[in-house]
Amino acid sequence: MKDNVSVITVFYLSGLNETMSQRWIIFFFSLLCYCIILLVNVSLILTIILDNSLHEPMYILLCVFCMNGLYGTTGFFPKFLWDLLSVVHIISYPGCLVQAHVIYSFVCSDVSILAVMAYDRYLAICRPLEYHTIMSKQRLMKLVCFSCITPFCAGGIVIFFASRLQLCSSYISKLFCVNWVIVTLACFPSETAVNSIVTYIIIIIYVFHGFFIIWSYIYLIKTCVNSIENRAKFMQTCVPHLTSLVMVLVTVLFDITNMRVGSKDLQQSLQKFVVIQCFVILPLMNPLIYGFKLTKIRNKILRVISL
């Protein structure tokens, strides 16, 4: 009966239980990774903001991409580091919903920004004469707002429906809160139908984002094959985008697998892979890949270092 359901006020995160014997080593390396992520992302963001010659669509989108990386890692690392220093790993009910929302919107925003980047590269390489007319400052701002606000709202919708569920367990077998895991704790599975429908609609929307990105790069590859100049542009500006896309898709695929498999040992391994890939490799590699690959940014950074 619904009246007998207790109110959940805190969640217990059990994803760290098997690694507590090495918690100080994990804490040190996690803190080091977080500091490096902050350093490289903030450095790239400031380089782009402070240099007027980098106020072009491609670099502005890269700046937004790095800001989103900081947003996502901030939703994970502070709580994770605190848990490594704590005996009991708990998070308040509102805090869990906020963390789930941050991580959900972070991943969706990554895909949206990559889609806008693909559109930008398509215009720059395939329609260079119309590029500045089509990709005006006003349109760029609209696309940036779309890639940030839409995922934030989508995450808010799924978390809102999750918050309406009555839960029968407060144990989450992960390192952090995720919307779908919260939904699986519902006392009455029949009440989660709306959550499933909304989630699948949002998944379909972002799958279309993925198809658009793939179509854009297939078209770009066809266009660049017979042109040495276009081929050089593609290698310099599009290869980092493709690398980022592959890493995002692999992360999402493994996280979905992690939530569906039955083996506990396999779940633990996949969960660790997803955490490293999503919150360490992606935010760390993206600024490094773009920083070394894009000539203008590389030259600016080297000039600052050499001072």
Side-chain angles (χ1 to χ4, degrees):
M1 293 199 38
K2 291 191 178 185
D3 293 338
N4 294 329
V5 177
S6 59
V7 177
I8 303 293
T9 57
V10 296
F11 289 102
Y12 297 87
L13 304 172
S14 60
L16 266 177
N17 291 348
E18 297 181 8
T19 57
M20 288 309 289
S21 57
Q22 300 92 26
R23 65 175 179 170
W24 289 110
I25 298 172
I26 297 171
F27 176 82
F28 173 76
F29 282 107
S30 298
L31 181 60
L32 180 63
C33 283
Y34 187 42
C35 291
I36 294 172
I37 288 167
L38 290 174
L39 176 65
V40 295
N41 280 277
V42 170
S43 298
L44 195 59
I45 290 167
L46 291 177
T47 300
I48 294 170
I49 290 175
L50 298 176
D51 195 318
N52 290 331
S53 67
L54 296 176
H55 292 179
E56 299 174 12
M58 179 174 66
Y59 300 111
I60 291 171
L61 290 171
L62 174 57
C63 183
V64 175
F65 199 40
C66 290
M67 287 178 178
N68 189 56
L70 290 178
Y71 168 69
T73 52
T74 302
F76 169 74
F77 270 106
K79 179 66 176 76
F80 177 66
L81 291 169
W82 178 259
D83 283 343
L84 286 170
L85 299 177
S86 306
V87 177
V88 181
H89 311 130
I90 61 173
I91 184 170
S92 67
Y93 180 80
C96 188
L97 294 180
V98 169
Q99 187 180 54
H101 177 256
V102 169
I103 292 170
Y104 195 100
S105 55
F106 157 64
V107 175
C108 291
S109 192
D110 253 6
V111 178
S112 291
I113 295 167
L114 285 169
V116 177
M117 283 178 157
Y119 176 63
D120 174 71
R121 291 301 83 203
Y122 160 75
L123 291 176
I125 295 174
C126 300
R127 301 170 68 179
L129 298 178
E130 305 169 78
Y131 176 70
H132 291 290
T133 304
I134 297 174
M135 191 58 80
S136 61
K137 286 185 179 179
Q138 291 77 11
R139 176 162 292 184
L140 177 62
M141 290 308 299
K142 288 178 182 177
L143 290 171
V144 168
C145 289
F146 161 79
S147 61
C148 296
I149 295 174
T150 304
F152 190 85
C153 293
I157 291 169
V158 296
I159 297 303
F160 169 73
F161 282 110
S163 68
R164 299 180 66 191
L165 297 173
Q166 289 182 304
L167 308 179
C168 278
S169 175
S170 59
Y171 290 89
I172 295 177
S173 59
K174 288 180 77 71
L175 298 169
F176 52 90
C177 294
V178 181
N179 170 65
W180 190 249
V181 175
I182 297 172
V183 172
T184 60
L185 301 178
C187 300
F188 310 98
S190 59
E191 293 184 350
T192 65
V194 175
N195 300 72
S196 299
I197 292 169
V198 172
T199 300
Y200 285 126
I201 288 172
I202 293 172
I203 288 172
I204 290 169
I205 290 171
Y206 285 96
V207 165
F208 277 114
H209 279 55
F211 282 133
F212 171 76
I213 296 169
I214 293 167
W215 172 85
S216 298
Y217 285 117
I218 289 173
Y219 193 87
L220 281 169
I221 291 168
K222 287 181 179 178
T223 304
C224 295
V225 167
N226 299 319
S227 170
I228 295 175
E229 183 183 351
N230 285 342
R231 204 179 307 156
K233 275 186 184 179
F234 180 86
M235 292 301 295
Q236 186 182 52
T237 62
C238 297
V239 169
H241 298 172
L242 282 172
T243 306
S244 298
L245 175 65
V246 169
M247 289 195 293
V248 169
L249 292 178
V250 168
T251 302
V252 172
L253 178 64
F254 272 89
D255 196 37
I256 292 171
T257 306
N258 176 41
M259 288 188 285
R260 298 295 189 273
V261 298
S263 169
K264 186 178 178 181
D265 292 336
L266 185 57
Q267 278 189 341
Q268 289 291 332
S269 300
L270 287 173
Q271 186 178 157
K272 290 171 186 173
F273 174 83
V274 168
V275 168
I276 293 170
Q277 178 81 352
C278 191
F279 300 112
V280 178
I281 295 177
L282 277 172
L284 189 59
M285 291 305 296
N286 285 332
L288 292 177
I289 290 170
Y290 287 102
F292 285 108
K293 194 68 179 172
L294 300 178
T295 307
K296 274 190 177 183
I297 292 179
R298 184 174 66 246
N299 291 341
K300 296 291 179 185
I301 293 173
L302 292 175
R303 196 175 301 161
V304 171
I305 293 173
S306 63
L307 290 177

